[in-house]
Amino acid sequence: MNTALTIAGSDSGGGAGIQADLKTFAANGVFGMSVITAVTAQNTMEVRSVQDIHLSIIKDQIDAVFEDIPVDAVKIGMLSSTATVALIAENMKKYKPFHIVLDPVMVSKGGSHLLQKEAIEALIEKLIPLASIVTPNIPEAEVLTGQVIEGEEDMIAASKQIVGLGAKAVLLKGGHLQGEPNDLFYDSETTLWIKGKRIETKNTHGTGCTLSSAIAANLAKGMSLEEAIHRGKQYITTAIQYSLSLGSGHGPANHFYELYKNAGYLGMESEVSNR
């Protein structure tokens, strides 16, 4: 069975971070493993507190996985501190996984900062050059490039700049712009727009984590980068379309919609029919 490793923070609400990543791996047919970099106390409305995991524990988690279990792809999410970024970069150089999907998580849906400002430069210098693909949203890409992104031409310029930082490719997500949420794939040779359909829902907690994890899972199964992205986009679109209205804030995506549907889960079809 193919495997994927997520290196990210834990979300006590279950909609993002490690929890979303492992659900996504399972839904996309790979065995998921995890290295937890931070523990967050959060729900659909807020992040109440964050505690970074001690560096020695992070390193032990990485070693424990890589020394025993084959890793077909790595997804990197919330890292929080400069020291954590440096440690992850050092160990990615050591173990050299074939695929690294870097999701530069900076701010939660509720507006809480998940990456310390002083860690951004370390992320740019140490991790972006190791990435097979970087998957920022518009605000994250603006931070990484120092550019204001207001349209497609700006997205192209920002993507070129991110690849110029050393990444092999970038998927710049366009959901924060007006109109349809079209994403841009760029890898120095290819400029490809991946069309999306805007779904009117507030339940978008963890969607960035989910998309990057789906791409990692597809790469782990041997798909090309473009195919992995297309399949990942299809997966997250369905997960958002049939998202779950849990909590009072931004509810989670429905990671197992297809599984529930195929299993004839009672209640799912009636929920779908009411949409």
Side-chain angles (χ1 to χ4, degrees):
M1 188 173 193
N2 296 110
T3 65
L5 170 66
T6 169
I7 303 175
S10 170
D11 171 9
S12 56
I18 289 285
Q19 287 81 352
D21 296 343
L22 292 176
K23 292 173 187 177
T24 301
F25 290 163
N28 285 274
V30 301
F31 181 80
M33 304 163 291
S34 66
V35 170
I36 299 177
T37 60
V39 174
T40 70
Q42 66 174 295
N43 52 30
T44 64
M45 295 182 292
E46 61 180 344
V47 177
R48 296 188 178 182
S49 58
V50 177
Q51 179 171 308
D52 290 342
I53 299 296
H54 195 280
L55 293 177
S56 65
I57 301 297
I58 296 175
K59 185 180 187 313
D60 281 348
Q61 292 178 83
I62 295 172
D63 290 339
V65 172
F66 275 97
E67 290 175 5
D68 182 49
I69 305 170
V71 178
D72 295 316
V74 174
K75 174 266 174 76
I76 300 174
M78 176 190 172
L79 299 181
S80 184
S81 71
T82 300
T84 300
V85 171
L87 177 68
I88 300 305
E90 177 185 338
N91 281 272
M92 292 303 98
K93 289 180 180 178
K94 174 183 177 181
Y95 289 110
K96 297 179 173 60
F98 192 69
H99 301 291
I100 298 177
V101 179
L102 175 61
D103 185 23
V105 178
M106 297 180 184
V107 180
S108 72
K109 278 293 188 295
S112 297
H113 287 272
L114 300 175
L115 179 69
Q116 298 169 12
K117 290 184 178 180
E118 58 269 23
I120 294 172
E121 196 62 36
L123 184 84
I124 292 171
E125 292 180 0
K126 297 180 183 295
L127 273 180
I128 285 183
L130 303 179
S132 306
I133 185 167
V134 185
T135 62
N137 58 30
I138 295 293
E140 291 162 349
E142 289 180 330
V143 172
L144 293 175
T145 63
Q147 298 184 32
V148 174
I149 301 173
E150 296 180 333
E152 291 187 351
E153 291 302 317
D154 293 336
M155 289 180 68
I156 293 172
S159 296
K160 290 181 177 179
Q161 186 171 338
I162 293 171
V163 169
L165 295 171
K168 293 182 178 66
V170 60
L171 179 69
L172 179 48
K173 298 172 289 188
H176 284 77
L177 299 181
Q178 297 296 317
E180 298 297 350
N182 299 325
D183 303 336
L184 175 63
F185 170 74
Y186 177 76
D187 69 352
S188 294
E189 297 180 355
T190 303
T191 301
L192 176 66
W193 288 100
I194 300 173
K195 302 298 184 181
K197 176 183 177 183
R198 190 168 297 280
I199 299 166
E200 295 303 324
T201 178
K202 67 174 183 175
N203 300 327
T204 55
H205 183 52
T207 51
C209 303
T210 299
L211 176 58
S212 58
S213 293
I215 293 170
N218 291 332
L219 290 172
K221 292 187 291 186
M223 294 182 193
S224 68
L225 190 50
E226 288 188 31
E227 183 181 5
I229 291 169
H230 279 293
R231 294 284 189 92
K233 180 81 168 181
Q234 291 170 0
Y235 173 74
I236 187 58
T237 299
T238 299
I240 295 172
Q241 183 178 359
Y242 300 107
S243 60
L244 303 172
S245 295
L246 297 173
S248 301
H250 298 283
N254 190 342
H255 295 92
F256 295 119
Y257 167 73
E258 292 291 344
L259 177 65
Y260 296 154
K261 182 182 71 172
N262 293 337
Y265 171 64
L266 296 177
M268 179 60 67
E269 292 306 322
S270 62
E271 178 183 344
V272 171
S273 66
N274 289 331
R275 289 180 181 272

